[in-house]
Amino acid sequence: MFALALAERGIEVVGVDPAAAALDVARGKPGGERVRWIHGDATRLPPLAADLATVTGNAAQEIVDPEEWNREPTYGVTDVPGVGAVGCWAELLDVSGPLVTFRWTCVFAADGQTLGSDSTLCFRERQGIEVELAAQGYAVEDVRDAPDRPGRKFVFVARRPETAS
């Protein structure tokens, strides 16, 4: 959504995602043709000159309470045009150090079809992210709370020193 909003304003945008299905959805949205979509992660990017790089996914967060990763607090129903009501929820499968494995399950009300998607995320600590940014040549200017989950998600503002003003 962020890539599409920038492209709509005439900004040249490259969007990268490791989930091919997510890219298919993004490409199909209005304005999707304005974005250069790449399947993979940051290691798959060709050399680029960029004024801004963002990570909009949950690249760094903390699992404070596994009870938050079950059906009751995550269940929601979305009315999808042309499809009908779809109920979805998350279920925690495993926590091994910084790796968290969970399953999203979606049930289509129209026919009862159930689809599941298992994912594993690496939840990194703030200090580790700051060290990695510095190792890649970035100076961290500020670390802010994400507005949707203060104290649990962070927004890192970093620049390469040669572009700092």
Side-chain angles (χ1 to χ4, degrees), residues 33-74:
E33 73 284 350
R34 295 185 190 126
V35 177
R36 179 178 169 197
W37 301 105
I38 296 176
H39 179 226
D41 59 26
T43 63
R44 300 277 311 260
L45 286 172
L48 297 170
D51 295 323
L52 173 69
T54 66
V55 178
T56 58
N58 294 324
Q61 55 183 282
E62 178 182 355
I63 305 299
V64 176
D65 184 356
E67 291 178 9
E68 295 178 22
W69 288 65
N70 65 43
R71 183 177 173 139
E72 187 176 322
T74 61

mmCIF file of all heavy atoms in Angstrom, residues 33-74:
data_model
loop_
_atom_site.group_PDB
_atom_site.id
_atom_site.type_symbol
_atom_site.label_atom_id
_atom_site.label_comp_id
_atom_site.label_asym_id
_atom_site.label_seq_id
_atom_site.Cartn_x
_atom_site.Cartn_y
_atom_site.Cartn_z
ATOM 1 N N GLU A 33 0.944 -1.227 -11.726
ATOM 2 C CA GLU A 33 1.893 -1.218 -12.854
ATOM 3 C C GLU A 33 2.921 -0.093 -12.735
ATOM 4 O O GLU A 33 3.929 -0.087 -13.437
ATOM 5 C CB GLU A 33 1.135 -1.104 -14.181
ATOM 6 C CG GLU A 33 0.536 0.270 -14.462
ATOM 7 C CD GLU A 33 -0.731 0.589 -13.657
ATOM 8 O OE1 GLU A 33 -1.285 -0.300 -12.995
ATOM 9 O OE2 GLU A 33 -1.150 1.758 -13.705
ATOM 10 N N ARG A 34 2.712 0.854 -11.842
ATOM 11 C CA ARG A 34 3.649 1.975 -11.667
ATOM 12 C C ARG A 34 4.848 1.616 -10.798
ATOM 13 O O ARG A 34 5.797 2.381 -10.699
ATOM 14 C CB ARG A 34 2.934 3.160 -11.019
ATOM 15 C CG ARG A 34 1.855 3.769 -11.855
ATOM 16 C CD ARG A 34 1.311 5.006 -11.145
ATOM 17 N NE ARG A 34 0.133 5.489 -11.803
ATOM 18 C CZ ARG A 34 -1.035 5.708 -11.197
ATOM 19 N NH1 ARG A 34 -1.145 5.516 -9.897
ATOM 20 N NH2 ARG A 34 -2.067 6.137 -11.863
ATOM 21 N N VAL A 35 4.779 0.455 -10.130
ATOM 22 C CA VAL A 35 5.834 0.037 -9.210
ATOM 23 C C VAL A 35 6.638 -1.089 -9.853
ATOM 24 O O VAL A 35 6.086 -1.977 -10.496
ATOM 25 C CB VAL A 35 5.234 -0.453 -7.874
ATOM 26 C CG1 VAL A 35 6.322 -0.955 -6.930
ATOM 27 C CG2 VAL A 35 4.426 0.656 -7.205
ATOM 28 N N ARG A 36 7.945 -1.057 -9.669
ATOM 29 C CA ARG A 36 8.807 -2.161 -10.108
ATOM 30 C C ARG A 36 8.838 -3.174 -8.958
ATOM 31 O O ARG A 36 9.392 -2.904 -7.895
ATOM 32 C CB ARG A 36 10.212 -1.649 -10.399
ATOM 33 C CG ARG A 36 11.175 -2.722 -10.823
ATOM 34 C CD ARG A 36 12.524 -2.107 -11.137
ATOM 35 N NE ARG A 36 13.529 -3.127 -11.288
ATOM 36 C CZ ARG A 36 14.820 -2.899 -11.239
ATOM 37 N NH1 ARG A 36 15.273 -1.663 -11.058
ATOM 38 N NH2 ARG A 36 15.679 -3.878 -11.372
ATOM 39 N N TRP A 37 8.209 -4.326 -9.160
ATOM 40 C CA TRP A 37 8.087 -5.336 -8.114
ATOM 41 C C TRP A 37 9.180 -6.386 -8.259
ATOM 42 O O TRP A 37 9.424 -6.892 -9.350
ATOM 43 C CB TRP A 37 6.725 -6.017 -8.183
ATOM 44 C CG TRP A 37 5.575 -5.075 -8.034
ATOM 45 C CD1 TRP A 37 4.743 -4.636 -9.010
ATOM 46 C CD2 TRP A 37 5.136 -4.430 -6.837
ATOM 47 N NE1 TRP A 37 3.802 -3.769 -8.500
ATOM 48 C CE2 TRP A 37 4.022 -3.623 -7.158
ATOM 49 C CE3 TRP A 37 5.570 -4.453 -5.508
ATOM 50 C CZ2 TRP A 37 3.346 -2.867 -6.217
ATOM 51 C CZ3 TRP A 37 4.898 -3.701 -4.566
ATOM 52 C CH2 TRP A 37 3.804 -2.914 -4.920
ATOM 53 N N ILE A 38 9.809 -6.741 -7.150
ATOM 54 C CA ILE A 38 10.862 -7.761 -7.141
ATOM 55 C C ILE A 38 10.508 -8.816 -6.098
ATOM 56 O O ILE A 38 10.238 -8.494 -4.936
ATOM 57 C CB ILE A 38 12.239 -7.142 -6.822
ATOM 58 C CG1 ILE A 38 12.635 -6.158 -7.935
ATOM 59 C CG2 ILE A 38 13.301 -8.231 -6.649
ATOM 60 C CD1 ILE A 38 13.921 -5.413 -7.677
ATOM 61 N N HIS A 39 10.525 -10.078 -6.531
ATOM 62 C CA HIS A 39 10.265 -11.186 -5.615
ATOM 63 C C HIS A 39 11.576 -11.554 -4.934
ATOM 64 O O HIS A 39 12.545 -11.909 -5.579
ATOM 65 C CB HIS A 39 9.708 -12.387 -6.386
ATOM 66 C CG HIS A 39 9.454 -13.566 -5.520
ATOM 67 N ND1 HIS A 39 9.831 -14.830 -5.865
ATOM 68 C CD2 HIS A 39 8.864 -13.667 -4.306
ATOM 69 C CE1 HIS A 39 9.477 -15.661 -4.913
ATOM 70 N NE2 HIS A 39 8.897 -14.984 -3.950
ATOM 71 N N GLY A 40 11.613 -11.445 -3.618
ATOM 72 C CA GLY A 40 12.813 -11.787 -2.857
ATOM 73 C C GLY A 40 12.932 -10.899 -1.644
ATOM 74 O O GLY A 40 11.953 -10.349 -1.153
ATOM 75 N N ASP A 41 14.162 -10.754 -1.178
ATOM 76 C CA ASP A 41 14.430 -9.868 -0.051
ATOM 77 C C ASP A 41 15.525 -8.888 -0.453
ATOM 78 O O ASP A 41 15.903 -8.833 -1.634
ATOM 79 C CB ASP A 41 14.803 -10.662 1.208
ATOM 80 C CG ASP A 41 16.034 -11.543 1.011
ATOM 81 O OD1 ASP A 41 16.890 -11.225 0.151
ATOM 82 O OD2 ASP A 41 16.155 -12.544 1.730
ATOM 83 N N ALA A 42 16.025 -8.140 0.484
ATOM 84 C CA ALA A 42 17.003 -7.099 0.165
ATOM 85 C C ALA A 42 18.259 -7.652 -0.501
ATOM 86 O O ALA A 42 18.914 -6.955 -1.276
ATOM 87 C CB ALA A 42 17.379 -6.329 1.430
ATOM 88 N N THR A 43 18.569 -8.919 -0.255
ATOM 89 C CA THR A 43 19.755 -9.505 -0.884
ATOM 90 C C THR A 43 19.563 -9.742 -2.376
ATOM 91 O O THR A 43 20.533 -9.970 -3.095
ATOM 92 C CB THR A 43 20.135 -10.846 -0.212
ATOM 93 O OG1 THR A 43 19.071 -11.782 -0.408
ATOM 94 C CG2 THR A 43 20.406 -10.653 1.276
ATOM 95 N N ARG A 44 18.325 -9.693 -2.866
ATOM 96 C CA ARG A 44 18.027 -9.918 -4.287
ATOM 97 C C ARG A 44 17.965 -8.622 -5.093
ATOM 98 O O ARG A 44 17.747 -8.655 -6.299
ATOM 99 C CB ARG A 44 16.685 -10.635 -4.430
ATOM 100 C CG ARG A 44 16.588 -11.990 -3.768
ATOM 101 C CD ARG A 44 17.156 -13.116 -4.615
ATOM 102 N NE ARG A 44 16.694 -13.116 -5.971
ATOM 103 C CZ ARG A 44 15.724 -13.897 -6.455
ATOM 104 N NH1 ARG A 44 15.115 -14.735 -5.668
ATOM 105 N NH2 ARG A 44 15.384 -13.837 -7.710
ATOM 106 N N LEU A 45 18.126 -7.487 -4.417
ATOM 107 C CA LEU A 45 18.027 -6.205 -5.112
ATOM 108 C C LEU A 45 19.221 -5.971 -6.021
ATOM 109 O O LEU A 45 20.357 -6.229 -5.631
ATOM 110 C CB LEU A 45 17.948 -5.056 -4.111
ATOM 111 C CG LEU A 45 16.637 -4.891 -3.377
ATOM 112 C CD1 LEU A 45 16.776 -3.839 -2.287
ATOM 113 C CD2 LEU A 45 15.536 -4.504 -4.341
ATOM 114 N N PRO A 46 18.978 -5.454 -7.210
ATOM 115 C CA PRO A 46 20.096 -5.031 -8.055
ATOM 116 C C PRO A 46 20.649 -3.723 -7.480
ATOM 117 O O PRO A 46 20.007 -3.090 -6.637
ATOM 118 C CB PRO A 46 19.428 -4.792 -9.421
ATOM 119 C CG PRO A 46 18.017 -4.447 -9.070
ATOM 120 C CD PRO A 46 17.681 -5.240 -7.839
ATOM 121 N N PRO A 47 21.828 -3.298 -7.921
ATOM 122 C CA PRO A 47 22.335 -2.006 -7.443
ATOM 123 C C PRO A 47 21.329 -0.897 -7.775
ATOM 124 O O PRO A 47 20.835 -0.805 -8.891
ATOM 125 C CB PRO A 47 23.634 -1.818 -8.225
ATOM 126 C CG PRO A 47 24.035 -3.208 -8.629
ATOM 127 C CD PRO A 47 22.751 -3.959 -8.828
ATOM 128 N N LEU A 48 21.002 -0.099 -6.769
ATOM 129 C CA LEU A 48 20.027 0.972 -6.934
ATOM 130 C C LEU A 48 20.557 2.252 -6.314
ATOM 131 O O LEU A 48 21.251 2.214 -5.309
ATOM 132 C CB LEU A 48 18.707 0.636 -6.227
ATOM 133 C CG LEU A 48 17.923 -0.562 -6.710
ATOM 134 C CD1 LEU A 48 16.792 -0.877 -5.724
ATOM 135 C CD2 LEU A 48 17.334 -0.277 -8.075
ATOM 136 N N ALA A 49 20.204 3.367 -6.897
ATOM 137 C CA ALA A 49 20.424 4.662 -6.267
ATOM 138 C C ALA A 49 19.067 5.075 -5.714
ATOM 139 O O ALA A 49 18.079 5.090 -6.431
ATOM 140 C CB ALA A 49 20.927 5.676 -7.282
ATOM 141 N N ALA A 50 19.012 5.369 -4.419
ATOM 142 C CA ALA A 50 17.719 5.682 -3.806
ATOM 143 C C ALA A 50 17.857 6.860 -2.862
ATOM 144 O O ALA A 50 18.870 7.024 -2.192
ATOM 145 C CB ALA A 50 17.192 4.474 -3.067
ATOM 146 N N ASP A 51 16.822 7.662 -2.813
ATOM 147 C CA ASP A 51 16.768 8.756 -1.847
ATOM 148 C C ASP A 51 16.190 8.292 -0.525
ATOM 149 O O ASP A 51 16.408 8.913 0.514
ATOM 150 C CB ASP A 51 15.904 9.902 -2.393
ATOM 151 C CG ASP A 51 16.526 10.538 -3.627
ATOM 152 O OD1 ASP A 51 17.756 10.662 -3.674
ATOM 153 O OD2 ASP A 51 15.760 10.884 -4.549
ATOM 154 N N LEU A 52 15.411 7.196 -0.539
ATOM 155 C CA LEU A 52 14.759 6.706 0.660
ATOM 156 C C LEU A 52 14.565 5.207 0.548
ATOM 157 O O LEU A 52 14.184 4.699 -0.500
ATOM 158 C CB LEU A 52 13.384 7.379 0.826
ATOM 159 C CG LEU A 52 12.486 6.873 1.943
ATOM 160 C CD1 LEU A 52 13.066 7.243 3.298
ATOM 161 C CD2 LEU A 52 11.082 7.446 1.797
ATOM 162 N N ALA A 53 14.841 4.498 1.637
ATOM 163 C CA ALA A 53 14.546 3.068 1.725
ATOM 164 C C ALA A 53 13.712 2.863 2.974
ATOM 165 O O ALA A 53 14.029 3.402 4.035
ATOM 166 C CB ALA A 53 15.833 2.259 1.813
ATOM 167 N N THR A 54 12.629 2.109 2.848
ATOM 168 C CA THR A 54 11.775 1.827 4.004
ATOM 169 C C THR A 54 11.510 0.338 4.100
ATOM 170 O O THR A 54 11.562 -0.380 3.097
ATOM 171 C CB THR A 54 10.418 2.556 3.913
ATOM 172 O OG1 THR A 54 9.681 2.025 2.813
ATOM 173 C CG2 THR A 54 10.599 4.049 3.750
ATOM 174 N N VAL A 55 11.238 -0.108 5.295
ATOM 175 C CA VAL A 55 10.765 -1.464 5.545
ATOM 176 C C VAL A 55 9.440 -1.289 6.263
ATOM 177 O O VAL A 55 9.392 -0.718 7.347
ATOM 178 C CB VAL A 55 11.754 -2.252 6.422
ATOM 179 C CG1 VAL A 55 11.217 -3.647 6.709
ATOM 180 C CG2 VAL A 55 13.126 -2.326 5.761
ATOM 181 N N THR A 56 8.362 -1.737 5.636
ATOM 182 C CA THR A 56 7.045 -1.486 6.211
ATOM 183 C C THR A 56 6.471 -2.692 6.926
ATOM 184 O O THR A 56 5.457 -2.578 7.582
ATOM 185 C CB THR A 56 6.053 -1.035 5.125
ATOM 186 O OG1 THR A 56 5.994 -2.049 4.118
ATOM 187 C CG2 THR A 56 6.480 0.283 4.526
ATOM 188 N N GLY A 57 7.103 -3.840 6.790
ATOM 189 C CA GLY A 57 6.598 -5.020 7.485
ATOM 190 C C GLY A 57 7.056 -5.040 8.928
ATOM 191 O O GLY A 57 7.750 -4.150 9.405
ATOM 192 N N ASN A 58 6.664 -6.080 9.612
ATOM 193 C CA ASN A 58 7.042 -6.218 11.013
ATOM 194 C C ASN A 58 8.441 -6.802 11.106
ATOM 195 O O ASN A 58 8.642 -7.920 11.547
ATOM 196 C CB ASN A 58 6.042 -7.108 11.744
ATOM 197 C CG ASN A 58 4.690 -6.470 11.820
ATOM 198 O OD1 ASN A 58 4.586 -5.261 11.960
ATOM 199 N ND2 ASN A 58 3.653 -7.264 11.721
ATOM 200 N N ALA A 59 9.416 -6.014 10.698
ATOM 201 C CA ALA A 59 10.786 -6.492 10.650
ATOM 202 C C ALA A 59 11.403 -6.621 12.031
ATOM 203 O O ALA A 59 12.322 -7.389 12.229
ATOM 204 C CB ALA A 59 11.639 -5.543 9.806
ATOM 205 N N ALA A 60 10.899 -5.886 12.975
ATOM 206 C CA ALA A 60 11.457 -5.931 14.323
ATOM 207 C C ALA A 60 10.341 -5.696 15.323
ATOM 208 O O ALA A 60 9.741 -4.637 15.341
ATOM 209 C CB ALA A 60 12.521 -4.852 14.470
ATOM 210 N N GLN A 61 10.083 -6.683 16.104
ATOM 211 C CA GLN A 61 9.091 -6.548 17.161
ATOM 212 C C GLN A 61 9.355 -7.620 18.192
ATOM 213 O O GLN A 61 10.209 -8.471 18.010
ATOM 214 C CB GLN A 61 7.673 -6.615 16.628
ATOM 215 C CG GLN A 61 7.381 -7.854 15.826
ATOM 216 C CD GLN A 61 5.983 -7.841 15.264
ATOM 217 O OE1 GLN A 61 5.048 -8.101 15.968
ATOM 218 N NE2 GLN A 61 5.852 -7.565 13.995
ATOM 219 N N GLU A 62 8.615 -7.600 19.256
ATOM 220 C CA GLU A 62 8.857 -8.507 20.357
ATOM 221 C C GLU A 62 7.587 -9.298 20.656
ATOM 222 O O GLU A 62 6.495 -8.755 20.667
ATOM 223 C CB GLU A 62 9.258 -7.677 21.579
ATOM 224 C CG GLU A 62 9.494 -8.462 22.816
ATOM 225 C CD GLU A 62 9.831 -7.566 23.987
ATOM 226 O OE1 GLU A 62 9.961 -6.353 23.806
ATOM 227 O OE2 GLU A 62 9.941 -8.092 25.090
ATOM 228 N N ILE A 63 7.755 -10.570 20.934
ATOM 229 C CA ILE A 63 6.634 -11.400 21.365
ATOM 230 C C ILE A 63 6.595 -11.303 22.888
ATOM 231 O O ILE A 63 7.358 -11.949 23.593
ATOM 232 C CB ILE A 63 6.796 -12.874 20.940
ATOM 233 C CG1 ILE A 63 7.020 -12.991 19.448
ATOM 234 C CG2 ILE A 63 5.593 -13.701 21.388
ATOM 235 C CD1 ILE A 63 5.917 -12.465 18.606
ATOM 236 N N VAL A 64 5.754 -10.444 23.413
ATOM 237 C CA VAL A 64 5.659 -10.248 24.851
ATOM 238 C C VAL A 64 4.793 -11.332 25.472
ATOM 239 O O VAL A 64 5.098 -11.883 26.517
ATOM 240 C CB VAL A 64 5.085 -8.848 25.170
ATOM 241 C CG1 VAL A 64 4.899 -8.673 26.657
ATOM 242 C CG2 VAL A 64 6.001 -7.769 24.620
ATOM 243 N N ASP A 65 3.698 -11.663 24.825
ATOM 244 C CA ASP A 65 2.740 -12.600 25.395
ATOM 245 C C ASP A 65 2.202 -13.500 24.287
ATOM 246 O O ASP A 65 1.423 -13.045 23.453
ATOM 247 C CB ASP A 65 1.600 -11.814 26.045
ATOM 248 C CG ASP A 65 0.598 -12.705 26.749
ATOM 249 O OD1 ASP A 65 0.735 -13.941 26.679
ATOM 250 O OD2 ASP A 65 -0.318 -12.143 27.355
ATOM 251 N N PRO A 66 2.624 -14.794 24.268
ATOM 252 C CA PRO A 66 2.142 -15.690 23.210
ATOM 253 C C PRO A 66 0.618 -15.797 23.149
ATOM 254 O O PRO A 66 0.065 -16.200 22.147
ATOM 255 C CB PRO A 66 2.767 -17.044 23.571
ATOM 256 C CG PRO A 66 3.962 -16.696 24.377
ATOM 257 C CD PRO A 66 3.594 -15.436 25.137
ATOM 258 N N GLU A 67 -0.058 -15.457 24.234
ATOM 259 C CA GLU A 67 -1.529 -15.525 24.204
ATOM 260 C C GLU A 67 -2.118 -14.578 23.169
ATOM 261 O O GLU A 67 -3.257 -14.742 22.757
ATOM 262 C CB GLU A 67 -2.098 -15.197 25.587
ATOM 263 C CG GLU A 67 -1.804 -16.288 26.624
ATOM 264 C CD GLU A 67 -2.321 -15.923 27.991
ATOM 265 O OE1 GLU A 67 -3.054 -14.916 28.115
ATOM 266 O OE2 GLU A 67 -1.996 -16.638 28.947
ATOM 267 N N GLU A 68 -1.343 -13.570 22.746
ATOM 268 C CA GLU A 68 -1.816 -12.634 21.717
ATOM 269 C C GLU A 68 -1.813 -13.272 20.335
ATOM 270 O O GLU A 68 -2.379 -12.724 19.406
ATOM 271 C CB GLU A 68 -0.936 -11.385 21.700
ATOM 272 C CG GLU A 68 -1.019 -10.552 22.967
ATOM 273 C CD GLU A 68 -0.092 -9.367 22.932
ATOM 274 O OE1 GLU A 68 0.302 -8.936 21.827
ATOM 275 O OE2 GLU A 68 0.254 -8.864 24.000
ATOM 276 N N TRP A 69 -1.152 -14.419 20.176
ATOM 277 C CA TRP A 69 -0.995 -15.068 18.888
ATOM 278 C C TRP A 69 -1.916 -16.289 18.788
ATOM 279 O O TRP A 69 -1.492 -17.366 18.391
ATOM 280 C CB TRP A 69 0.459 -15.490 18.706
ATOM 281 C CG TRP A 69 1.381 -14.357 18.474
ATOM 282 C CD1 TRP A 69 1.678 -13.361 19.356
ATOM 283 C CD2 TRP A 69 2.119 -14.077 17.306
ATOM 284 N NE1 TRP A 69 2.565 -12.499 18.791
ATOM 285 C CE2 TRP A 69 2.862 -12.907 17.529
ATOM 286 C CE3 TRP A 69 2.238 -14.714 16.077
ATOM 287 C CZ2 TRP A 69 3.698 -12.354 16.578
ATOM 288 C CZ3 TRP A 69 3.080 -14.167 15.126
ATOM 289 C CH2 TRP A 69 3.796 -12.999 15.384
ATOM 290 N N ASN A 70 -3.177 -16.121 19.126
ATOM 291 C CA ASN A 70 -4.114 -17.209 18.956
ATOM 292 C C ASN A 70 -5.397 -16.668 18.339
ATOM 293 O O ASN A 70 -5.515 -15.472 18.058
ATOM 294 C CB ASN A 70 -4.372 -17.944 20.278
ATOM 295 C CG ASN A 70 -5.045 -17.079 21.314
ATOM 296 O OD1 ASN A 70 -5.980 -16.338 21.020
ATOM 297 N ND2 ASN A 70 -4.583 -17.161 22.551
ATOM 298 N N ARG A 71 -6.359 -17.530 18.135
ATOM 299 C CA ARG A 71 -7.558 -17.178 17.380
ATOM 300 C C ARG A 71 -8.339 -16.009 17.990
ATOM 301 O O ARG A 71 -8.739 -15.094 17.283
ATOM 302 C CB ARG A 71 -8.463 -18.396 17.237
ATOM 303 C CG ARG A 71 -9.691 -18.103 16.411
ATOM 304 C CD ARG A 71 -10.537 -19.338 16.211
ATOM 305 N NE ARG A 71 -11.778 -18.987 15.558
ATOM 306 C CZ ARG A 71 -12.333 -19.694 14.605
ATOM 307 N NH1 ARG A 71 -11.763 -20.792 14.184
ATOM 308 N NH2 ARG A 71 -13.454 -19.305 14.057
ATOM 309 N N GLU A 72 -8.566 -16.042 19.286
ATOM 310 C CA GLU A 72 -9.451 -15.041 19.895
ATOM 311 C C GLU A 72 -9.015 -13.588 19.634
ATOM 312 O O GLU A 72 -9.809 -12.801 19.114
ATOM 313 C CB GLU A 72 -9.596 -15.293 21.391
ATOM 314 C CG GLU A 72 -10.628 -14.377 22.033
ATOM 315 C CD GLU A 72 -10.829 -14.694 23.494
ATOM 316 O OE1 GLU A 72 -10.805 -15.889 23.856
ATOM 317 O OE2 GLU A 72 -11.014 -13.747 24.265
ATOM 318 N N PRO A 73 -7.786 -13.207 19.938
ATOM 319 C CA PRO A 73 -7.434 -11.796 19.723
ATOM 320 C C PRO A 73 -7.126 -11.430 18.270
ATOM 321 O O PRO A 73 -7.098 -10.256 17.919
ATOM 322 C CB PRO A 73 -6.205 -11.580 20.604
ATOM 323 C CG PRO A 73 -5.602 -12.931 20.740
ATOM 324 C CD PRO A 73 -6.741 -13.914 20.680
ATOM 325 N N THR A 74 -6.900 -12.428 17.412
ATOM 326 C CA THR A 74 -6.525 -12.116 16.027
ATOM 327 C C THR A 74 -7.648 -12.331 15.027
ATOM 328 O O THR A 74 -7.512 -11.961 13.859
ATOM 329 C CB THR A 74 -5.311 -12.969 15.586
ATOM 330 O OG1 THR A 74 -5.656 -14.361 15.658
ATOM 331 C CG2 THR A 74 -4.088 -12.686 16.449
#
